[in-house]
Amino acid sequence: FYFNHALNLTNSLSSHLRKLDDKNTLIEVQLLQSKIYYNLKNFSKAKASLTSARTSANSIYCSSKLQADLDCMSGILHCQDNDFETAFSYFYEAFESLNSLAWSKETESQIIKILKYILLTKIMLNKNDDIIQILSNKLITSSKSIQNNLKQFDAIKKISAAYNQKSLEDFQKCLSDSSNEFSDDYLIKSNFKTLYHQLLEQNLLKIIKPYSCVEISYIARLIKLDETFVESKLSQMIL
């Protein structure tokens, strides 16, 4: 209800801003529309609103903060399309833009979020070594705000290591241990869920590959998961 109400307000506001030719505010409203559509899982309209915002931004000077917001949203939508290389580029641009500003609590919060997204793209691209390199960057190690949030970054690093080692048990434990760290972030949660299912499929295939006939109870025992869940997942894989 709230998102739909917000859309009605932003649509009306966009119309007035176009008449007033207030492009700066229009860009912010179009960006907000993109975020609303994203939260409503209407990704095609989220992209359309972001394209409108970027088109408006091309004709005027944008502040580093607004440019970072646009780049961050572009990265998020590219993640949604599984284009993690392009997403990384946008997140890095956003990180650079914000890092050029004087740090405030709001800026620090945004930088920390974008840094998590940068690490997420590296996990999704299976580039574990890049994660260690990024977190050892002098800019990051010297930031008090980032150091105060090391628990979140350590959690991402452990998840990456577990995925890299193809250990379903370790991956599941890392996700469970860090569930509070990412509970409010749909982008991270949904992509970690994707990774879990990819890893589960890889582990199941590894177990069943040597056999022409195998009992599901045996597979469930080896992989340490509920038999009904394993049966459901195997059925899904077959289909």
Side-chain angles (χ1 to χ4, degrees):
F1 169 77
Y2 294 109
F3 285 128
N4 287 321
H5 182 55
L7 276 178
N8 290 333
L9 289 173
T10 54
N11 284 332
S12 173
L13 186 56
S14 293
S15 178
H16 286 297
L17 289 169
R18 283 192 185 93
K19 290 174 185 175
L20 294 169
D21 200 28
D22 185 349
K23 287 189 178 176
N24 257 310
T25 311
L26 179 63
I27 293 164
E28 291 181 29
V29 171
Q30 289 169 330
L31 179 59
L32 178 60
Q33 281 180 325
S34 181
K35 291 175 181 178
I36 294 168
Y37 280 124
Y38 176 77
N39 280 286
L40 288 169
K41 311 293 184 291
N42 191 335
F43 302 119
S44 59
K45 287 197 174 181
K47 289 176 193 173
S49 295
L50 182 62
T51 300
S52 298
R54 281 198 164 279
T55 302
S56 302
N58 285 337
S59 61
I60 60 164
Y61 168 77
C62 281
S63 67
S64 295
K65 172 72 173 64
L66 182 55
Q67 190 60 54
D69 285 343
L70 289 167
D71 286 335
C72 182
M73 195 62 207
S74 295
I76 288 169
L77 291 173
H78 276 286
C79 280
Q80 196 60 45
D81 289 338
N82 297 322
D83 183 1
F84 297 105
E85 287 282 5
T86 308
F88 167 78
S89 299
Y90 276 116
F91 289 139
Y92 191 78
E93 287 291 329
F95 182 81
E96 292 267 284
S97 296
L98 289 173
N99 196 47
S100 67
L101 301 172
W103 280 37
S104 62
K105 278 192 175 181
E106 185 188 354
T107 307
E108 286 178 7
S109 171
Q110 184 74 346
I111 282 177
I112 288 162
K113 182 177 83 168
I114 289 170
L115 183 54
K116 285 192 287 186
Y117 290 166
I118 286 172
L119 297 178
L120 173 67
T121 61
K122 291 300 182 182
I123 295 175
M124 299 307 290
L125 292 166
N126 203 16
K127 294 183 176 179
N128 189 55
D129 291 343
D130 287 2
I131 291 171
I132 298 163
Q133 193 178 344
I134 290 167
L135 290 176
S136 61
N137 184 290
K138 190 178 178 182
L139 175 68
I140 291 165
T141 55
S142 62
S143 164
K144 284 184 181 178
S145 181
I146 290 174
Q147 293 306 303
N148 289 338
N149 286 271
L150 268 184
K151 191 177 177 184
Q152 295 182 55
F153 298 120
D154 282 341
I156 291 175
K157 198 156 67 171
K158 286 176 184 174
I159 287 168
S160 173
Y163 183 74
N164 196 48
Q165 291 161 11
K166 309 297 179 192
S167 171
L168 185 65
E169 192 174 357
D170 288 350
F171 189 86
Q172 202 169 15
K173 185 180 184 302
C174 290
L175 282 184
S176 178
D177 291 345
S178 60
S179 58
N180 292 333
E181 307 295 331
F182 310 116
S183 58
D184 297 329
D185 198 310
Y186 169 77
L187 181 69
I188 292 179
K189 272 200 318 179
S190 62
N191 279 287
F192 280 173
K193 187 178 178 183
T194 300
L195 284 180
Y196 172 76
H197 283 285
Q198 285 177 1
L199 202 52
L200 174 60
E201 287 181 11
Q202 289 169 17
N203 277 259
L204 284 171
L205 288 169
K206 191 177 177 181
I207 291 170
I208 64 176
K209 193 175 180 180
Y211 302 99
S212 57
C213 183
V214 61
E215 290 184 353
I216 288 172
S217 58
Y218 174 71
I219 300 170
R221 201 159 58 248
L222 282 182
I223 208 163
K224 298 177 183 177
L225 289 172
D226 178 69
E227 194 174 322
T228 308
F229 176 71
V230 171
E231 183 177 7
S232 171
K233 186 63 186 174
L234 286 169
S235 300
Q236 185 187 41
M237 287 166 70
I238 291 165
L239 289 170

